[in-house]
Amino acid sequence: MAKRTARTTIALLTVLALATGCGAKVAERAGGDDGKTSGGKAAGHYPVTIENCGVKTTYDKAPQRVVTNDVGITEIMFALGLEDRMAGYVAPDYRADRESVPWKDGYEKVKWLSKKEITKEIVLDAKADLVFAGWNYGFSEGRGFTPEALKKLGVGSYVLTESCRNGGAGKARGVMPPLEALYTDLTTLGKLFGVEDRSAQLVADFKKQVAEAQAGVPADGKRPTVFLYDDGRDKAVTSGAFAGPHDIITKAGGDHVMKDVKDTWPSVGWETVVERNPDVIVINNYGDVTSEQKKEFLTSFPPLADVSAVKNDRIFVLDYVDLVESPRNPAAIAALARYLKGVRGAEGS
């Protein structure tokens, strides 16, 4: 115990001395002796002021040792080409394919710090100057891991926009539509790290991909109703209007049955699912319970026996990283759009 305490204390002192480099009014230059940042932008790009979850912060240089929490957040950094600004990432060993994504090299270049919960100790040991996480995506008041707590250690924070608190001190999350949250983070982080051209190109490419998926959706006609099943037995954890599945379902040509719930990932009673009688159920594939086990539960759960999606075996699976805010959202829209096209065709025959 004494050794661990001493090590943590030394790490804390080191971070306090170095990590404040990502905060406001820091005099050091962002790059090396050539006056450039590692992203190739002139150091004169700084200072920059960004707004994140309603809070404005001025940076005198770009963060140099970012620790990210969760796979979607980590892939936002990879998509922006910011691997060299990362000290590591924390994420469970999700089943999602990491080999076929355009930014797969990031997983080879950046250290996987932990498969468990992110902690202050992990952050300090990594000598992080910024933590990129979200509420319920790492930040937790119950565990004392918050932007305020990190600030006391001299470590900055960037909060995933999907998870921004709605209404200040309230627990409900979400302040804008999910895809807008993704585009906001790409644009804001592009400004912070001096890679605006890359972020702008990503946003344009993603919007084009979404538009192409939507082109196959009839402008009129009935949309299949869709319920997102995350997990849960006594109640169902699902997506509200501010989590990724809402835009994925809607832009893929579906009618999201929980679009009236102004939150990100709420729990609802099964009676609500039965009442809304979705044509399709999308399963979120993650965690210790496999998608096959989730499907078996849904199809054998007596209260759901007469629900259209169960009766017609219309259950579609997407991976966790497809459904939380991440650069995979547009591809998930395209995949679900293809599936819903088949559903519409079957209903029309």
Side-chain angles (χ1 to χ4, degrees):
M1 178 66 73
K3 287 184 178 180
R4 182 177 178 183
T5 303
R7 185 184 66 191
T8 304
T9 302
I10 292 170
L12 171 59
L13 292 173
T14 302
V15 172
L16 288 173
L18 299 176
T20 51
C22 75
K25 307 304 179 186
V26 175
E28 285 98 332
R29 196 167 53 192
D33 292 339
D34 61 354
K36 301 282 188 178
T37 68
S38 59
K41 296 285 285 186
H45 173 79
Y46 299 91
V48 296
T49 299
I50 64 167
E51 183 171 345
N52 174 225
C53 291
V55 177
K56 291 184 178 181
T57 306
T58 298
Y59 291 80
D60 284 349
K61 70 173 188 176
Q64 306 293 313
R65 296 189 59 80
V66 181
V67 169
T68 56
N69 183 77
D70 216 356
V71 62
I73 292 170
T74 300
E75 290 189 359
I76 289 174
M77 292 290 287
F78 291 169
L80 287 167
L82 296 172
E83 295 91 341
D84 63 333
R85 298 302 182 88
M86 296 178 66
Y89 68 95
V90 176
D93 194 6
Y94 292 125
R95 302 182 186 88
D97 173 29
R98 301 186 183 196
E99 293 301 316
S100 61
V101 292
W103 44 90
K104 66 177 182 178
D105 289 349
Y107 287 110
E108 299 173 1
K109 295 178 182 177
V110 180
K111 187 176 181 180
W112 195 346
L113 299 174
S114 176
K115 298 181 181 181
K116 299 180 180 180
E117 288 182 329
I118 190 169
T119 64
K120 294 175 187 176
E121 288 76 17
I122 290 172
V123 171
L124 293 174
D125 286 346
K127 298 180 176 61
D129 57 3
L130 185 79
V131 171
F132 181 11
W135 291 108
N136 285 27
Y137 298 103
F139 291 132
S140 167
E141 287 168 336
R143 295 192 300 110
F145 191 86
T146 65
E148 292 76 15
L150 291 175
K151 185 177 180 180
K152 292 178 181 178
L153 300 178
V155 182
S157 299
Y158 185 93
V159 179
L160 184 74
T161 294
E162 179 185 276
S163 77
C164 293
R165 290 282 176 79
N166 189 346
K171 297 297 183 183
R173 294 172 294 161
V175 295
M176 65 180 69
L179 275 180
E180 186 179 336
L182 172 63
Y183 301 152
T184 295
D185 283 332
L186 290 169
T187 301
T188 305
L189 291 167
K191 179 180 179 182
L192 172 57
F193 288 95
V195 290
E196 292 102 321
D197 289 347
R198 179 156 182 153
S199 65
Q201 188 61 57
L202 280 172
V203 172
D205 290 345
F206 288 157
K207 287 182 176 180
K208 180 181 178 183
Q209 189 174 8
V210 172
E212 289 173 349
Q214 288 187 286
V217 178
D220 51 5
K222 182 179 180 293
R223 285 174 168 245
T225 54
V226 183
F227 173 73
L228 185 284
Y229 177 58
D230 180 90
D231 204 351
R233 297 297 185 264
D234 296 335
K235 287 187 173 184
V237 179
T238 187
S239 165
F242 293 119
H246 174 73
D247 270 353
I248 291 169
I249 291 167
T250 303
K251 296 186 184 304
D255 180 5
H256 182 206
V257 298
M258 295 299 170
K259 59 181 177 288
D260 59 321
V261 180
K262 306 303 181 185
D263 200 349
T264 51
W265 297 94
S267 295
V268 299
W270 288 111
E271 64 277 6
T272 302
V273 182
V274 172
E275 178 186 349
R276 301 189 180 192
N277 191 26
D279 299 313
V280 174
I281 295 175
V282 174
I283 288 177
N284 185 2
N285 183 29
Y286 77 102
D288 296 330
V289 182
T290 67
S291 59
E292 291 80 8
Q293 290 171 321
K294 290 179 180 180
K295 181 175 180 179
E296 182 180 355
F297 166 73
L298 293 170
T299 55
S300 62
F301 188 44
L304 299 181
D306 292 327
V307 168
S308 176
V310 174
K311 286 197 303 182
N312 295 295
D313 192 28
R314 290 173 176 166
I315 297 177
F316 188 69
V317 177
L318 286 170
D319 283 317
Y320 171 87
V321 68
D322 296 323
L323 293 165
V324 296
E325 184 192 321
S326 82
R328 300 199 196 199
N329 296 158
I333 291 170
L336 183 58
R338 290 190 292 270
Y339 181 81
L340 294 182
K341 181 179 181 180
V343 172
R344 290 194 302 271
E347 290 178 342
S349 60

